[in-house]
Amino acid sequence: YDDFLYDLTESLMPYMSEHYAVAEGRENTAIAGFSMGGRESIYIGMKACDKIGYVCASSPAPGIIATQDSFMVHKGNM
């Protein structure tokens, strides 16, 4: 999942800028997601903070930081 950061910043965002009229810059860019998408929104927002100005994570899945819940131990990737 975490490789989507590179798909977004190196492929998708440049494609959108080239083919559509978009307001560019960090102050005009947001990412949002629910569950695993929320987890990825946090991850991408932290790793690409020079490109993403706003992050919305609704009920994010665990795994960004090391933690343990009633089901398993999450090693974390930050």
Side-chain angles (χ1 to χ4, degrees):
Y1 299 106
D2 298 326
D3 288 340
F4 181 68
L5 164 67
Y6 307 108
D7 290 337
L8 177 68
T9 58
E10 296 172 11
S11 297
L12 189 57
M13 289 174 74
Y15 179 88
M16 290 187 308
S17 295
E18 186 177 323
H19 292 87
Y20 300 99
V22 296
E24 294 187 49
R26 181 179 185 276
E27 65 281 353
N28 297 310
T29 307
I31 190 166
F34 175 77
S35 192
M36 185 54 103
R39 177 195 180 280
E40 285 306 300
S41 295
I42 294 171
Y43 179 74
I44 291 169
M46 292 172 67
K47 297 293 268 188
C49 58
D50 60 322
K51 295 179 171 85
I52 309 288
Y54 303 93
V55 176
C56 173
S58 298
S59 303
I64 296 295
I65 58 171
T67 188
Q68 180 176 352
D69 59 27
S70 58
F71 300 106
M72 63 186 297
V73 174
H74 305 277
K75 66 177 182 170
N77 59 357
M78 298 296 275

